[in-house]
Amino acid sequence: MSRTTYRFNKEERDLSDFYYAYSPHAIGRNRFLMYNSCIANFEPERADEFSYVSIITKKRFSEGVRVTTKCAFERFGAPLIVFTDDIADEDGGTKLYGLHFEIVAYEGGCNVWHIVPNPENEKRPIKSTNIGNLNFEIEPDELIGISVLFERKKLSISVNGNTFEVENEDFPENFHVGITACEGPNKFYELLIEE
């Protein structure tokens, strides 16, 4: 088994194995802000002003890979692991998500979302379907560990020791995987990929 750990502190940070990618719903094409201990989607003095920011691996993975991130949110938020085999080039060379999946930690536990573009709806050009969830409490500024084992059409998920499984026929066999900060001020400290 190989292990690759991406640490997001100032001394070890290297995002060269990732693309920035964006949901059709994202406003702007912002990038992570770099801090001494982490990457984040907000400035500490303006935590009410946060961005949608997402990076995803250039490399594809398959069944048997485990992905773990350490993250946090301030007051509220939705730090998440994202995966997809559907990324398109947007004008200007940035990447845009098509069909993708999110494993999202938030104040009330963890949700798993199946997300498809829906360009007909200009206000919200995505259609999100909740395909799994587990309710438990996550405190603001609590260090969150999200771990996902990718099995055949099934995810085995653990968030701070709370575990559950989700199955879906649309899960791709080969996929890129990454992290997204949205719906609040989020921080990411590391991403571990075991294959």
Side-chain angles (χ1 to χ4, degrees):
M1 175 181 285
S2 70
R3 295 165 54 99
T4 304
T5 304
Y6 298 96
R7 292 188 176 89
F8 300 130
N9 61 69
K10 183 178 179 181
E11 293 78 22
E12 299 174 272
R13 184 168 44 233
D14 180 1
L15 302 183
S16 62
D17 288 344
F18 299 89
Y19 296 117
Y20 276 92
Y22 302 91
S23 164
H25 187 54
I27 297 170
R29 297 294 179 256
N30 296 312
R31 299 200 168 220
F32 277 110
L33 299 174
M34 309 295 174
Y35 295 105
N36 286 337
S37 64
C38 65
I39 56 178
N41 67 336
F42 68 102
E43 295 179 24
E45 61 277 6
R46 293 194 303 225
D48 290 337
E49 299 174 21
F50 49 85
S51 301
Y52 173 101
V53 187
S54 185
I55 55 174
I56 196 152
T57 57
K58 295 175 180 176
K59 180 179 175 179
R60 287 178 180 261
F61 298 93
S62 60
E63 179 182 343
V65 69
R66 182 185 297 275
V67 178
T68 303
T69 191
K70 291 182 182 173
C71 53
F73 58 78
E74 292 194 0
R75 297 187 314 281
F76 63 92
L80 62 94
I81 290 175
V82 59
F83 71 101
T84 185
D85 67 349
D86 187 7
I87 303 174
D89 287 327
E90 195 179 30
D91 289 344
T94 59
K95 306 292 183 187
L96 193 67
Y97 291 127
L99 168 65
H100 61 288
F101 299 88
E102 298 179 341
I103 300 92
V104 184
Y106 74 108
E107 311 87 81
C110 181
N111 284 318
V112 181
W113 295 97
H114 176 288
I115 302 172
V116 295
N118 184 24
E120 297 79 30
N121 186 343
E122 290 183 20
K123 282 186 130 177
R124 185 169 169 83
I126 58 171
K127 180 180 178 191
S128 304
T129 304
N130 188 308
I131 58 172
N133 69 291
L134 187 65
N135 296 318
F136 55 93
E137 192 170 319
I138 299 177
E139 294 292 331
D141 294 316
E142 178 180 351
L143 184 63
I144 305 165
I146 307 171
S147 183
V148 182
L149 174 62
F150 293 84
E151 301 175 83
R152 189 163 199 68
K153 302 297 181 183
K154 181 173 81 170
L155 307 177
S156 293
I157 300 165
S158 177
V159 180
N160 288 1
N162 300 280
T163 62
F164 66 110
E165 295 180 344
V166 176
E167 296 184 27
N168 191 278
E169 281 303 310
D170 288 342
F171 290 158
E173 291 185 16
N174 297 286
F175 48 86
H176 307 272
V177 66
I179 53 175
T180 302
C182 65
E183 295 186 17
N186 298 184
K187 300 175 184 175
F188 286 91
Y189 299 95
E190 76 174 36
L191 181 69
L192 170 65
I193 301 175
E194 301 170 281
E195 54 179 323

